[in-house]
Amino acid sequence: MTPTEQSARALAVCRLAPVVPVLVIDDLAHARPLAEALVAGGLPALEVTLRTPCALDAIRIMAHVPGGVVGAGTLLTPADVRAAKEAGATFGVSPGATDRLLDACAEYDLPLLPGAVTASEIMALLEKGYTVQKFFPAEQSGGAAFLKSIGAPIPQVSFCPTGGIGLKNARDYLSLKTIPCVGGSWVAPKDAMARGDWAAITTLAAEAAALRA
Ligand code: 3PG
């Protein structure tokens, strides 16, 4: 899959809802009810970070939840890309971008949101054809003000910013034309997951889904 095709597919995922939950799953038993709760609240696109031992198995389970579109986050290596694809991920997210990672996503047909922060990083990805990128860590890197500024000289790149975003500041990002969605972990708090309080997570998801209602 070419970078242009990857970007088109990644953009379609980003347009499903204003927020993509960034999920860190410690307990495999949480995978199905968590995905069901988020989808029920109106957030179908789900990013499972490959940061815990059960993450790939969680993707395997969540890929079968009706209405869910499950991707793998924290892709760092070609092996991560291959494992994510085999587990059933339909998109990938990386905090940055290396040639080996980009090549692996092309080889394994996994649409990628590659990460960039600086003008040169954004331009290097744009040169290769990646018009949809992750901006991480968003708040720490200049936030919505930075993305507004970079959108003047480089309006052809869209971003999914993540890192430090919550209900309080999501609208600052979503009001920009270049931002189809933001990513964030706030819709799946660890304490609610530990309690099995899936109704609370559906409520958080519904609030997030309404950010651009
Ligand atoms: C991440 O990769 O950890 C995401 O950017 C989530 O950041 P957050 O926990 O600040 O939402």
Side-chain angles (χ1 to χ4, degrees), residues 8-17 20 45 69 90-91 181:
R9 301 230 332 239
L11 187 61
V13 171
C14 289
R15 284 184 172 153
L16 290 172
V20 176
V69 175
T90 56
F91 68 96
C181 69

Side-chain angles (χ1 to χ4, degrees), residues 22 51 134 136 162-165 184-186:
V22 176
R51 296 183 205 171
K134 167 168 163 145
F136 170 84
T162 75
I165 302 178
S185 61
W186 87 90

Side-chain angles (χ1 to χ4, degrees), residues 40-167:
L43 301 181
L46 310 173
E47 175 190 335
V48 179
T49 58
L50 299 191
R51 296 183 205 171
T52 58
C54 71
L56 287 167
D57 285 331
I59 290 171
R60 270 184 201 99
I61 290 170
M62 293 165 88
H64 296 289
V65 169
V69 175
V70 182
T74 326
L75 296 180
L76 302 179
T77 66
D80 291 340
V81 173
R82 180 180 174 168
K85 180 76 183 188
E86 282 174 1
T90 56
F91 68 96
V93 185
S94 174
T98 68
D99 286 340
R100 291 182 69 221
L101 188 76
L102 299 176
D103 289 348
C105 286
E107 181 183 344
Y108 291 106
D109 270 332
L110 190 71
L112 179 71
L113 274 171
V117 169
T118 66
S120 295
E121 289 169 354
I122 294 164
M123 289 164 61
L125 284 169
L126 176 61
E127 254 181 23
K128 294 178 196 284
Y130 293 92
T131 53
V132 188
Q133 303 174 13
K134 167 168 163 145
F135 179 67
F136 170 84
E139 280 294 290
Q140 297 82 346
S141 306
F146 178 96
L147 288 171
K148 185 175 181 190
S149 298
I150 210 81
I154 316 178
Q156 60 275 61
V157 177
S158 296
F159 296 94
C160 171
T162 75
I165 302 178
L167 266 190

